């Protein structure tokens, strides 16, 4: 399949030759150590760029710059409407650079170019515009005080301070903006640490932020490894808040590292989301929804619907329909316009995903479709459906973070058991239900222990809070709650 074009060749040449440095206090600088690290294209496994490897000293410099900008810089003196205008300008800049930004995401993550453009880049611009509107709508409350002497009491919401934003590799631009937009709207300054696998779109975002006029020190970007740069950011006493999206295991490390100065935390962690299909469901809608929930972004989604519970009356039709879709998906490079499902992020992750599949088969699971890595350059695995799984199997209990679905059936009298099985996980990020019965949908939604319950394919919106129960995290992103996570409440009481 032909992927080379003059435009693509030109972009690749620019990527490989361009120096990628750290953004600290408005300046692009090399890491203090002088070290760089390679960035790989998961479509073919080749190096596409070398990026500065930030360390503890670089993080310290970035935090100090963010602190200075917050305490005494121009940013603190900006009117809320001026902050809103800058955030909107950044959205416009991303929209104007949509083709280049989408190509960066497709090269960096392997996702289909069309998805990068319509989901990631468009989603980032929409999120910035949504939160730009919040900059002028941050309010407190006034209270009637029960005191013999007259008082006036009110609250104000103030920016929390310097925010450390640590983002994952599955949707690097969109996840960076999901944290950056409310932080800026609230008036915070920040240090952004992208995943070492996918740093390129974050660095481009930094260039655009400078072009539209963000003051020095407001947005700082440190590239590097999680165990060094990420850990230093989480531990730094000059950071007031950490927002992290990633695995539950790393979330625990972030939690411990943040304890020194009691940082405010938002943690969006792992998931093992159930999908329940009732016998009255619209089967076409259910098949589309089940397939999308597990195969979108090659299953590399925290809320992926990886456990299917379908009523026995429709089980064969639903699973057969999802299997047929899996077999028809065009697997290939994200740069090929025909591609519907791209590679996983790295060779290490490919080994992890296929290792879970092998463990499941050894434990007695049956491969209905897929189950193998694909012998070609890059990091490709077949979309996979497993049946005959049991609750103790690792494929049923662990977050695989790949295109692997475990499918189970249930009978009429098993609804209580199925809800219990759906909740029988350490995670609680999302759940999906397909039914035509509105009353049943509400009853099941009330019983599921998940941060979001999506009925008949319902999707989230920038105005709707998202986050997890149990070990899927703390706090919420998006909506009012996502904004207020970057604020502190101050009470003011005046004796009159």
């Amino acid at each position: 399949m032909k992927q080379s074009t003059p435009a693509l060749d030109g972009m690749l040449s620019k990527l490989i030759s361009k120096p990628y440095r750290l953004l600290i206090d408005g300046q692009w600088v090399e890491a203090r150590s002088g070290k760089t690290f390679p960035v790989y294209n998961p479509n073919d496994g080749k190096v596409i760029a070398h990026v500065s490897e930030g360390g503890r000293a670089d993080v310290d410099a970035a935090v100090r710059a963010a602190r200075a900008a917050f305490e005494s810089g121009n940013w603190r003196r900006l009117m809320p409407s001026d902050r809103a205008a800058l955030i909107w300008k950044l959205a416009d800049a991303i929209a104007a650079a949509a083709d280049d930004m989408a190509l960066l995401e497709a090269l960096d993550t392997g996702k289909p170019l069309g998805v990068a453009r319509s989901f990631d880049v468009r989603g980032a611009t929409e999120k910035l515009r949504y939160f730009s509107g919040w900059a002028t709508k941050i309010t407190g409350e006034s209270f009637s005080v029960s005191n013999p002497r007259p008082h006036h009491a009110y609250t104000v919401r103030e920016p929390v301070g310097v925010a450390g934003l640590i983002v994952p590799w599955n949707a690097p631009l969109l996840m960076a903006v999901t944290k950056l937009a409310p932080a800026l709207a609230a008036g915070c300054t920040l240090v952004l640490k992208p995943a070492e696998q996918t740093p390129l779109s974050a660095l481009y975002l930094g260039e655009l932020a400078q072009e539209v006029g963000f003051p020095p020190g407001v947005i700082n970007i440190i590239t590097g490894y999680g165990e060094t740069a990420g850990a230093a950011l989480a531990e730094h006493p000059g950071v007031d808040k950490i927002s992290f999206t990633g695995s539950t295991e790393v979330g625990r490390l972030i939690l411990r590292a943040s304890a020194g100065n009691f940082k405010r935390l938002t943690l969006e962690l792992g998931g093992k989301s159930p999908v329940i299909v009732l016998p009255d469901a619209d089967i076409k809608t259910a098949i589309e929804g089940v397939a999308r929930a597990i195969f979108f972004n090659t299953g590399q989604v925290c809320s992926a619907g990886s456990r299917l519970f379908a009523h026995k009356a429709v089980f064969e039709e639903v699973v057969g329909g999802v299997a047929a879709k899996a077999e028809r998906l065009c697997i290939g490079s994200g740069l090929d316009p025909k591609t519907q499902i791209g590679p996983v992020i790295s060779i290490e992750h490919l080994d992890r995903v296929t290792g879970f599949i092998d463990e499941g088969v050894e434990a007695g699971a049956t491969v209905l479709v897929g189950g193998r890595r694909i012998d070609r350059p890059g990091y490709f695995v077949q979309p996979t459906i497993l049946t005959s799984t049991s609750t103790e199997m690792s494929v049923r209990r662990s977050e695989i973070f790949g295109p692997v679905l475990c499918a189970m059936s249930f009978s009429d009298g098993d609804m209580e058991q199925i809800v219990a099985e759906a909740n029988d996980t350490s995670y609680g990020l999302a759940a999906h239900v397909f039914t035509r019965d509105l009353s049943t949908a509400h009853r099941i939604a009330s019983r599921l222990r998940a941060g979001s319950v999506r009925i008949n394919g319902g999707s989230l919106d920038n105005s709707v809070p998202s986050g997890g129960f149990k070990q899927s995290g703390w706090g919420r992103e998006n909506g009012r709650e996502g904004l207020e996570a970057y604020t502190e409440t101050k009470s003011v009481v005046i004796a009159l």
Side-chain angles (χ1 to χ4, degrees), residues 308-365:
L308 170 63
F309 301 94
H311 190 277
K312 67 177 183 179
V314 296
F315 179 81
E316 295 296 336
E317 186 177 2
V318 171
V319 173
V322 177
K325 281 187 170 294
E327 290 180 315
R328 289 196 302 267
L329 286 171
C330 181
I331 305 169
S333 166
L335 305 178
D336 189 318
K338 296 190 296 294
T339 292
Q340 295 171 294
I341 184 168
V344 296
I345 192 64
S346 65
I347 186 62
E348 294 82 7
H349 195 57
L350 178 61
D351 291 340
R352 170 184 164 83
V353 172
T354 55
F356 272 114
I357 296 171
D358 293 342
E359 284 180 21
V361 171
E362 290 172 8

Side-chain angles (χ1 to χ4, degrees), residues 20-31 51-52 54 58-59 61-63 65-66 180 190-194 202-211 214-223:
Y20 284 94
R21 300 188 175 97
L22 315 175
L23 178 58
I24 301 175
D25 202 16
Q27 300 296 318
W28 293 98
V29 297
E30 294 183 354
V51 176
S52 290
D58 304 295
V59 168
V63 172
L180 174 145
L190 61 94
V191 179
L192 172 63
K193 195 281 176 188
L203 295 172
Y204 194 8
L205 180 66
E207 293 179 14
L208 296 178
Q210 286 188 303
E211 288 178 11
F214 277 88
V218 174
I219 299 173
N220 304 273
I221 303 175
I222 299 293
T223 53

Side-chain angles (χ1 to χ4, degrees), residues 37 59 62 73 98 100 106 109 134 167 176 189 192 205-206 214 239 245 262 295 350 357 377 386 429 442 488:
F37 63 93
V59 168
D100 286 349
T109 67
W134 271 110
V167 300
T189 58
L192 172 63
L205 180 66
F214 277 88
V239 174
T245 297
F262 290 89
F295 299 137
L350 178 61
I357 296 171
L386 300 176
L429 191 57
H442 282 300
E488 295 274 27

Side-chain angles (χ1 to χ4, degrees), residues 142-481:
S142 61
F143 303 91
S144 299
V145 179
S146 299
N147 193 299
R149 182 180 175 182
H151 283 72
H152 175 52
Y154 62 93
T155 59
V156 292
R157 284 195 172 271
E158 298 182 350
V160 70
V162 176
L165 313 180
I166 305 176
V167 300
W169 44 256
N170 58 330
L173 173 65
L174 183 56
M175 292 310 303
V177 168
T178 295
K179 301 176 187 302
L180 174 145
L184 295 174
C188 296
T189 58
L190 61 94
V191 179
L192 172 63
K193 195 281 176 188
E196 58 265 29
Q197 296 89 345
T198 54
L200 301 184
S201 59
L203 295 172
Y204 194 8
L205 180 66
E207 293 179 14
L208 296 178
Q210 286 188 303
E211 288 178 11
V212 301
F214 277 88
V218 174
I219 299 173
N220 304 273
I221 303 175
I222 299 293
T223 53
Y225 292 103
E227 58 268 26
T228 51
L233 186 58
E235 295 169 359
H236 201 289
V239 174
D240 300 296
K241 177 184 175 62
I242 291 288
S243 180
F244 168 77
T245 297
S247 71
T248 298
E249 292 76 16
V250 176
R252 291 192 181 95
L253 297 176
I254 297 284
L255 177 61
R256 287 194 286 269
S258 299
N261 65 335
F262 290 89
K263 292 178 178 67
R264 278 54 178 153
L265 292 178
T266 299
L267 303 173
E268 203 250 48
L269 307 176
K272 193 70 176 175
S273 301
V275 184
I276 300 173
V277 181
L278 299 179
D280 69 331
D282 181 300
I283 299 303
K284 181 179 179 181
T285 298
I287 290 171
E288 292 281 350
V290 172
R292 182 172 58 252
I294 189 59
F295 299 137
F296 177 75
N297 210 39
T298 320
Q300 299 169 125
V301 180
C302 296
S303 59
S306 54
R307 294 181 297 144
L308 170 63
F309 301 94
H311 190 277
K312 67 177 183 179
V314 296
F315 179 81
E316 295 296 336
E317 186 177 2
V318 171
V319 173
V322 177
K325 281 187 170 294
E327 290 180 315
R328 289 196 302 267
L329 286 171
C330 181
I331 305 169
S333 166
L335 305 178
D336 189 318
K338 296 190 296 294
T339 292
Q340 295 171 294
I341 184 168
V344 296
I345 192 64
S346 65
I347 186 62
E348 294 82 7
H349 195 57
L350 178 61
D351 291 340
R352 170 184 164 83
V353 172
T354 55
F356 272 114
I357 296 171
D358 293 342
E359 284 180 21
V361 171
E362 290 172 8
T366 299
V367 177
L368 180 64
V369 65
R372 298 178 181 275
R373 66 177 69 202
I374 299 173
D375 185 17
R376 56 169 289 171
Y379 317 126
F380 294 88
V381 61
Q382 294 174 327
T384 299
I385 300 176
L386 300 176
T387 59
S388 304
T389 61
S390 56
T391 55
E392 68 274 7
M393 291 182 183
S394 62
V395 289
R396 282 272 294 272
R397 305 204 68 82
S398 299
E399 182 183 40
I400 298 173
F401 219 62
V404 181
L405 176 67
C406 295
M408 293 74 70
S409 65
F410 64 94
S411 303
D412 287 328
D414 294 342
M415 183 55 66
E416 291 298 318
Q417 178 186 344
I418 290 306
V419 171
E421 283 195 36
N423 288 332
D424 184 22
T425 170
S426 59
Y427 301 110
L429 191 57
H432 308 255
V433 180
F434 290 89
T435 177
R436 286 189 172 98
D437 189 318
L438 188 60
S439 177
T440 298
H442 282 300
R443 287 202 306 272
I444 294 177
S446 71
R447 300 283 305 282
L448 291 169
R449 297 285 296 160
S452 67
V453 180
R454 308 176 192 185
I455 309 297
N456 295 330
S459 60
L460 295 181
D461 181 83
N462 289 325
S463 63
V464 180
S466 63
F469 287 14
K470 298 186 280 187
Q471 293 183 36
S472 286
W474 284 357
R476 294 295 182 267
E477 294 185 308
N478 294 328
R480 178 189 291 271
E481 289 186 58

Side-chain angles (χ1 to χ4, degrees), residues 9-26:
D9 290 344
M11 172 64 84
L12 285 171
S13 176
K14 183 170 71 172
L15 284 173
I16 293 170
S17 61
K18 179 179 179 179
Y20 284 94
R21 300 188 175 97
L22 315 175
L23 178 58
I24 301 175
D25 202 16

